[in-house]
Amino acid sequence: MRWLERARAAWAALRTEPGARRGGVPDYPEWLIGHPFIPPEMLENHREAFRKVPVVSAAISLVQHDVAKLPWRVWYEGRTGKRRELKREDGNLADLLTGANPRQSGYQLRVDTIGSLYTGGNAYWALAYFPGAPTPAEAWCLPAHNWRVIPGANRGVVRYEYNRGGAWEEVREENVVHFPDYNPDDEPI
């Protein structure tokens, strides 16, 4: 029964009255109310919070890699109306998602995409086509804070612009895959 007495004594030492301290250690559950881990000046700048707050970067990194580990499979519906999985061949979408570009694998593209969604709210892939090729040859996840979407009627997109070294350049819509931020207030017009 000695262990039970020690457990009760340890539990009593941990429990404190609200606002009280023991041994200079604050009552953290009470202290956290109204004191988020992210300083107020970083609540609107998620990229800075990712860089400067270890808890935020650890949580986002964990989610990034967990999602990137999930297998991505491409399905299509042929003329018969049955869904079939698209096997990887040179130049098809399954190939593009496996080896995104010369510097990144498909895994790293997915990691960057999820990170961009968490820190910027949106993610953008810029697709690169080689001359004469009907399908994209490379996919690049470019930083979301460098993109600007020019909206059109009925929440459509007129055009995309990318900030390349301080100058905004128009990017053709067929060269952009936009993963928009989820907004529960969006409804069809």
Side-chain angles (χ1 to χ4, degrees):
M1 291 307 256
R2 195 150 166 79
W3 66 269
L4 184 59
E5 292 170 7
R6 288 178 39 194
R8 284 185 181 151
W11 180 252
L14 287 174
R15 291 183 58 211
T16 61
E17 294 299 317
R21 295 176 180 221
R22 287 191 190 271
V25 178
D27 184 13
Y28 281 105
E30 184 189 44
W31 177 82
L32 282 175
I33 296 173
H35 296 87
F37 282 107
I38 303 173
E41 64 272 6
M42 290 187 196
L43 286 176
E44 294 300 319
N45 190 345
H46 303 294
R47 291 183 308 118
E48 284 300 308
F50 181 82
R51 287 189 192 114
K52 296 180 179 178
V53 182
V55 170
V56 172
S57 62
I60 291 175
S61 295
L62 183 66
V63 171
Q64 282 178 286
H65 290 280
D66 283 350
V67 172
K69 288 176 190 173
L70 295 172
W72 281 22
R73 297 166 64 184
V74 180
W75 296 84
Y76 73 99
E77 191 172 303
R79 292 186 181 139
T80 61
K82 287 187 170 184
R83 282 181 8 142
R84 295 189 312 182
E85 184 177 357
L86 182 66
K87 300 297 180 192
R88 182 179 178 192
E89 295 174 4
D90 284 345
N92 69 8
L93 182 59
D95 183 49
L96 182 65
L97 293 177
T98 304
N101 57 60
R103 293 187 183 172
Q104 292 180 315
S105 65
Y107 176 85
Q108 189 60 44
L109 178 72
R110 293 189 297 269
V111 167
D112 289 355
T113 303
I114 300 303
S116 188
L117 283 168
Y118 269 95
T119 59
N122 291 285
Y124 300 90
W125 287 356
L127 302 177
Y129 289 83
F130 290 143
T135 59
E138 298 174 358
W140 298 83
C141 183
L142 300 179
H145 65 278
N146 287 340
W147 286 92
R148 184 163 59 187
V149 179
I150 310 302
N154 296 327
R155 295 195 180 110
V157 175
V158 173
R159 69 178 181 273
Y160 292 96
E161 293 179 350
Y162 186 73
N163 187 349
R164 197 179 304 273
W168 289 97
E169 295 180 9
E170 186 174 340
V171 181
R172 294 186 4 213
E173 191 173 350
E174 61 268 11
N175 290 356
V176 178
V177 178
H178 181 191
F179 299 91
D181 186 19
Y182 169 70
N183 184 350
D185 297 328
D186 275 351
E187 297 175 1
I189 296 176

